[in-house]
Amino acid sequence: MSRNAAEMTAGIAPGPGPGRIAPGRHRWHRLLALLLGAAVFVVDTYTDVTGAIAVLYVLVMLIASAAFSRRGLILLTLACAGLAVLSFFLSHGDGADVSAVVRCGIALAAIGITTVLLLRDQASKQSLVAANTALARSETRYRSIFEQVRVALWEQDFSEVRAMLARLRQQGVRDVAAYAREHPAFARDCARRIRTMHVNDATAELLRLSSPSEALGPIERFLLAGDPALPAVLAAVAEGSSRFEGRAKLLAADGQVLTVLLRISFPDEADEFGRVVVGMMDVTEREQLQQTQLAAQAELARASRAATVGALSASIAHEINQPLGAVVMNAQTCLRWLGKDPPDVEAAVRAAERTVRDGRRAAEIVQRTRGQLVRDQRNDEAIDLRALIEETIPLLETELSAHAATVVTRLAPSVPPVRADRVALQQVLINLMTNGLHAMAETGAAGRELTVSVDGPAAPDAPEVRVSIRDRGTGIPDELQARLFEPFFTTKRGGMGMGLAICRSTIETYGGRLTARTHEQGGAVFEFALPADQDTAQAS
């Protein structure tokens, strides 16, 4: 049991504390009340005074109320009432008149009313003491949390600034933030009037201060000139916002610029703006990390663009290498025919025509690549792959002659057209057929046969056209199968490794697929499938 509870149980007032009387004075109060009570009893009982002397017991209770607890006060009330009744019977006995009875009744009523008032007063005092105790404990807890939490906390006085902003609003200024930005002197004056009253250790550590007391005073010295956070805070105060959240720049004692997240809770009552709590979280390192990441992303994007340009350059070089080589060879042939004696003009004309044809094909390749780069519309059209293959084989006349190889075509009698860019598909065929010719470089001359097949849809629910190109080379090693279509991967000496990557990308652009495998009887098979153009097929 606590000391206060024990004292109350014993019938005396609690020990000394806020608003209480010291124990030494309790004894004097009780002694004085005892003497006064005895005097009132003697006068009321043994004198001829006819007044309501018993009413003076009220003074006894008033004197003793500070020295007794609730229980003790009730007991004192009963004692005083008992003495008043006892005095009445001792003084009057059975012959009491009406006036004596009335006087006794008045005295008892006064004692009762006084007791009720004293008990209510005592309860009010106890409630007030309890409230003050709870308030003191709450303040202690708040201070403990304020001091020990690892988040930087400030207590700032915004009362002067709030009054300034109220006057500014009365003058007709509505956009306080814009006004503060346009009038830097006004913003600085506000910063001087916002005073720091208390900070915790985390704030001192954040601002590189040796002690929290160094942070007290105007916050102007910690604010970075031109920081938009201050106008935003002033606007929040002027508009009566309940809170403010945002970023701010602070200047630490060592000159370092800090980036912090601010959270300010504004009170509802105007007279409470003298203690506004401001919370801060240091995000300087996170901001620096974000800046580093943004710089790295920009560098990565630049490297990606450089790689794209490099890949595009390699693609163009690879695509136009074959037609340019044919142009050179046809031009040399034309010169040989013209150098004969007599010159063979007809053969020279044919060689010149082939030169023009291959030159135009190179120009078409460059134009198509440029169109892809500038996001131009594709020149898609309905293409009969059988006819396109028949047109493409003569373009490889030089390659076929150099490799002493032949082309065998196996074309299905009925094949629906596909929709694609003619030049792009022709380049796919040339690349795949050229690769097949290169793969047969070590094959005997009699076996250098390139088979090109075209088949229609295998089933009604799979309307696609398949083209396969089979060589009689050594096939595709298993360890190279997975990397075959990777850009810049090649097994050829001096190769660029872009041909198959370009071919797959082109076929996939038109909704198709390109695969490669080793044939059961030897050699490699490259096969691509494209969706059939059903609209064109039905119209025809």
Side-chain angles (χ1 to χ4, degrees), residues 34-54:
L34 179 61
L35 294 175
L36 181 58
V40 171
F41 178 77
V42 170
V43 172
D44 189 27
T45 304
Y46 300 107
T47 65
D48 295 333
V49 179
T50 59
I53 301 300

Side-chain angles (χ1 to χ4, degrees), residues 431-447:
N431 277 331
L432 296 179
M433 294 171 69
T434 301
N435 284 347
L437 293 175
H438 293 167
M440 295 187 295
E442 299 180 359
T443 303

Side-chain angles (χ1 to χ4, degrees), residues 212-277:
S213 61
E214 295 183 15
L216 305 184
I219 65 168
E220 179 188 18
R221 58 197 170 111
F222 298 114
L223 296 183
L224 201 65
D227 184 33
L230 179 59
V233 172
L234 297 178
V237 175
E239 295 167 4
S241 301
S242 60
R243 67 174 58 88
F244 171 82
E245 295 181 358
R247 294 174 182 265
K249 297 289 187 181
L250 295 181
L251 190 63
D254 59 359
Q256 181 180 357
V257 177
L258 306 175
T259 303
V260 298
L261 292 180
L262 281 182
R263 181 179 176 87
I264 307 175
S265 296
F266 296 109
D268 297 329
E269 303 297 332
D271 57 357
E272 295 180 359
F273 270 79
R275 288 181 59 181
V276 176
V277 178

Side-chain angles (χ1 to χ4, degrees), residues 462-477:
E464 60 182 15
V465 181
R466 298 186 309 280
V467 176
S468 64
I469 300 172
R470 178 196 171 192
D471 61 53
R472 299 300 192 279
T474 57
I476 305 172

